[in-house]
Amino acid sequence: LISVDEKTSSFRYVRDIEIDKHLFGADIKIKLSGSYIEANSISKKSANRIKDQLAEYNNKLGKKHVVMN
């Protein structure tokens, strides 16, 4: 009855981060080099933390890339 689906993707650059905030919780969609990763029904705080950590990771790479939302 209860299951957990997990997807791990190897990526080098985050191309886009989209957060859809609801009254309760949020959905986050992350575009990598050629694919998307999505997490639904997570807390708004978690979605913002993921966005901030990915932006920080992206900024540590040799080239500066802009993550916009």
Side-chain angles (χ1 to χ4, degrees):
L1 290 176
I2 298 174
S3 68
V4 175
D5 295 331
E6 182 176 314
K7 179 179 180 179
T8 303
S9 294
S10 175
F11 64 94
R12 183 171 176 117
Y13 299 109
V14 175
R15 302 287 186 211
D16 187 40
I17 299 172
E18 180 182 320
I19 298 176
D20 184 15
K21 295 182 180 176
H22 309 286
L23 184 59
F24 298 105
D27 301 331
I28 187 168
K29 187 174 183 180
I30 304 160
K31 183 175 182 182
L32 304 173
S33 295
S35 63
Y36 282 96
I37 294 178
E38 217 172 314
N40 298 309
S41 301
I42 62 174
S43 70
K44 293 175 193 177
K45 186 176 181 178
S46 292
N48 286 325
R49 187 170 50 239
I50 292 168
K51 178 190 71 152
D52 293 342
Q53 288 175 344
L54 288 173
E56 182 180 328
Y57 168 80
N58 234 23
N59 288 332
K60 286 182 181 179
L61 297 175
K63 298 176 183 177
K64 296 294 182 188
H65 296 275
V66 178
V67 176
M68 302 180 74
N69 59 4

